[in-house]
């Protein structure tokens, strides 16, 4: 076990941000830490790094207890919380030299190695202030790798990136996992975790909702989202097929329950009625936020005033 949390709890004033959280990350895992915004993910990561002290419970990194053994634990961890910070008027290489000295890394060869790993060797001498957001994220990962830590912790590393930047960072994380690096990846995007992780835990309001192999965490709903040229008429047609109560409006789409055979019939009926079909999308592709609505309803997790033995809001 590389990383473990035991009853980890953090209360801010009257809000419970993390509520008796237990998790375990094994060596070689690319471990997904999922949750909607405000679920307590960043607060948990801050406690792992020892930046925030828990109200109760503790973290263990390779048998070093945090916060008690924080200095020893940090020797085994690399990563960043929220957005990696660098000196914008310095080059990437100079930033890595400076950061490396903090961890007794002075080997120029190692700096070249990590720049190559993240795909930045050709921009190593450019000022970081001129970097795109995606390049800064990759430089943050390079900095995390400098001292060869056993565990890399990444907090929403694709946040704010364009599609190409997101793809680049995900491919980099996959490569790290394939190379045997243990990665703890925080995200609010289910499909992101599905693409790169082997195990994951989903939290909401600071508590574990579900955990296990990523393949077991997919939404099981067979609902589809339908977008047509006439949503009002389409709702009538779909209602005749699956029942009016089984069709709902959601953010401009019609959402209906149906197997593959029913979906085929839906499309056929709509076309027969002269209604153009613009999109038919599996509902699980709507993302983690929609999946969470069902999970949290079934888990009876309610917000309320802070109590060490009750769940509350999260930051």
């Amino acid at each position: 076990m590389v990383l473990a949390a035991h009853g980890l709890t953090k209360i801010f004033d009257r809000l419970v941000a993390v509520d008796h959280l237990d998790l375990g990350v094994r060596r070689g895992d690319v471990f997904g830490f999922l949750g909607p915004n405000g679920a307590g993910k960043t607060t948990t990561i801050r406690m792992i790094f020892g930046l925030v002290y828990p109200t109760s419970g503790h973290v263990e990194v390779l048998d070093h207890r945090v916060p008690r053994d924080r200095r020893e634990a940090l020797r085994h961890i690399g990563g960043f919380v929220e957005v990696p910070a660098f000196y914008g008027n310095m080059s990437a290489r100079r930033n890595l030299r400076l950061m490396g000295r903090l961890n007794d890394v002075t080997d120029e060869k190692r700096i070249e190695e990590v720049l190559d790993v993240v795909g930045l060797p050709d921009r190593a001498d450019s000022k970081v202030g001129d970097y795109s957001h995606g390049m800064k994220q990759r430089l943050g990962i390079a900095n995390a790798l400098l001292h060869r830590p056993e565990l890399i912790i990444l907090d929403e590393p694709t946040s704010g990136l364009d599609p190409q930047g997101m793809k680049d960072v995900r491919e980099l994380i996959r490569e790290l996992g394939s190379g045997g690096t243990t990665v703890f990846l925080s995200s609010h995007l289910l499909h992101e975790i599905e693409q790169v992780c082997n195990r994951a835990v989903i939290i909401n309001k600071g508590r574990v909702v579900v955990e296990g192999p990523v393949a077991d965490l997919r939404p099981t709903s067979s609902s589809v989202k339908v977008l047509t040229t006439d949503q009002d008429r389409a709702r009538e047609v779909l209602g005749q097929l699956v029942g009016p109560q089984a069709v709902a409006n959601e953010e401009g789409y019609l959402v209906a329950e149906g197997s593959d055979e029913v979906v085929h019939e839906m499309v056929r009926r709509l076309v027969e009625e002269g209604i153009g079909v613009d999109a038919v999308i599996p509902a699980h592709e709507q993302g983690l936020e929609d999946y969470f609505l069902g999970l949290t309803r079934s888990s009876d997790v309610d917000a309320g005033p802070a109590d060490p033995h009750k769940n509350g809001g999260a930051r």
Side-chain angles (χ1 to χ4, degrees):
M1 197 69 69
V2 175
L3 170 68
H6 302 282
L8 198 61
T9 302
K10 182 61 181 180
I11 300 174
F12 293 101
D13 299 324
R14 291 182 56 78
L15 292 178
V16 179
V18 180
D19 190 358
H20 295 86
L21 182 70
D22 294 307
L23 60 83
V25 180
R26 298 190 291 261
R27 188 177 298 278
D29 276 345
V30 179
F31 189 91
F33 190 48
L34 290 94
N37 295 328
K41 302 189 302 297
T42 295
T43 299
T44 299
I45 291 175
R46 288 183 179 277
M47 286 190 284
I48 293 171
F49 278 114
L51 300 173
V52 173
Y53 277 34
T55 303
S56 62
H58 68 278
V59 171
E60 287 185 7
V61 178
L62 292 169
D63 297 325
H64 298 297
R65 185 165 173 163
V66 180
R68 186 189 66 196
D69 307 323
R70 177 174 177 267
R71 184 182 297 273
E72 291 77 8
L74 289 179
R75 296 183 187 279
H76 302 281
I77 304 175
F80 54 81
V81 184
E82 296 182 315
V83 179
F86 297 100
Y87 292 100
N89 62 333
M90 292 185 183
S91 68
R93 194 188 309 277
R94 287 190 64 193
N95 268 281
L96 291 179
R97 283 175 185 156
L98 179 62
M99 301 297 182
R101 291 191 191 107
L102 299 177
N103 286 301
D104 297 322
V105 178
T106 58
D107 185 0
E108 287 291 322
K109 182 180 178 181
R110 180 57 182 167
I111 291 175
E112 294 299 327
E113 287 174 352
V114 296
L115 285 168
D116 187 59
V117 167
V118 301
L120 291 176
D122 296 336
R123 295 295 303 274
D125 295 310
S126 300
K127 289 184 178 180
V128 174
D130 296 331
Y131 274 21
S132 67
H133 182 51
M135 293 169 67
K136 291 176 181 176
Q137 295 292 84
R138 283 190 280 157
L139 183 58
I141 296 174
N143 181 48
L145 292 170
L146 260 182
H147 62 292
R148 295 184 172 87
E150 286 91 336
L151 173 66
I152 300 291
I153 297 176
L154 303 175
D155 186 16
E156 301 275 4
T158 62
S159 177
L161 299 185
D162 60 23
Q164 184 60 50
M166 295 174 74
K167 182 174 181 291
D168 291 344
V169 170
R170 287 170 184 160
E171 287 180 352
L172 174 55
I173 294 170
R174 272 195 294 267
E175 290 171 4
L176 291 174
S178 298
T181 301
T182 305
V183 180
F184 184 87
L185 173 63
S186 171
S187 177
H188 67 279
L189 302 173
L190 179 60
H191 67 273
E192 180 166 274
I193 298 302
E194 289 178 314
Q195 291 179 40
V196 299
C197 298
N198 64 305
R199 295 179 58 242
V201 62
I202 297 178
I203 71 167
N204 189 47
K205 298 178 182 176
R207 301 178 68 183
V208 172
V209 178
V210 64
E211 60 182 314
V214 167
D216 297 342
L217 302 183
R218 293 178 61 98
T220 58
S221 171
S222 59
S223 296
V224 292
K225 295 193 302 179
V226 180
L227 183 64
T228 71
T229 56
D230 189 336
Q231 293 291 76
D232 290 336
R233 286 182 58 212
R235 180 163 189 167
E236 294 178 6
V237 172
L238 297 181
Q240 293 170 3
L241 181 63
V242 299
Q245 302 302 317
V247 184
N249 283 308
E250 189 172 292
E251 298 180 352
Y253 287 88
L254 295 174
V255 180
E257 187 79 19
S259 63
D260 289 344
E261 293 76 13
V262 173
V263 171
H264 294 157
E265 183 64 14
M266 287 179 184
V267 175
R268 189 185 70 79
R269 293 269 191 97
L270 291 169
V271 173
E272 279 186 352
E273 294 294 326
I275 302 171
V277 180
D278 295 328
V280 179
I281 307 169
H284 69 76
E285 293 186 5
Q286 296 175 74
L288 184 61
E289 298 288 351
D290 293 318
Y291 182 33
F292 254 86
L293 293 177
L295 283 177
T296 54
R297 276 197 297 266
S298 64
S299 64
D300 293 324
V301 178
D302 299 317
D307 183 295
H309 304 292
K310 296 180 181 179
N311 184 70
R315 289 184 176 178

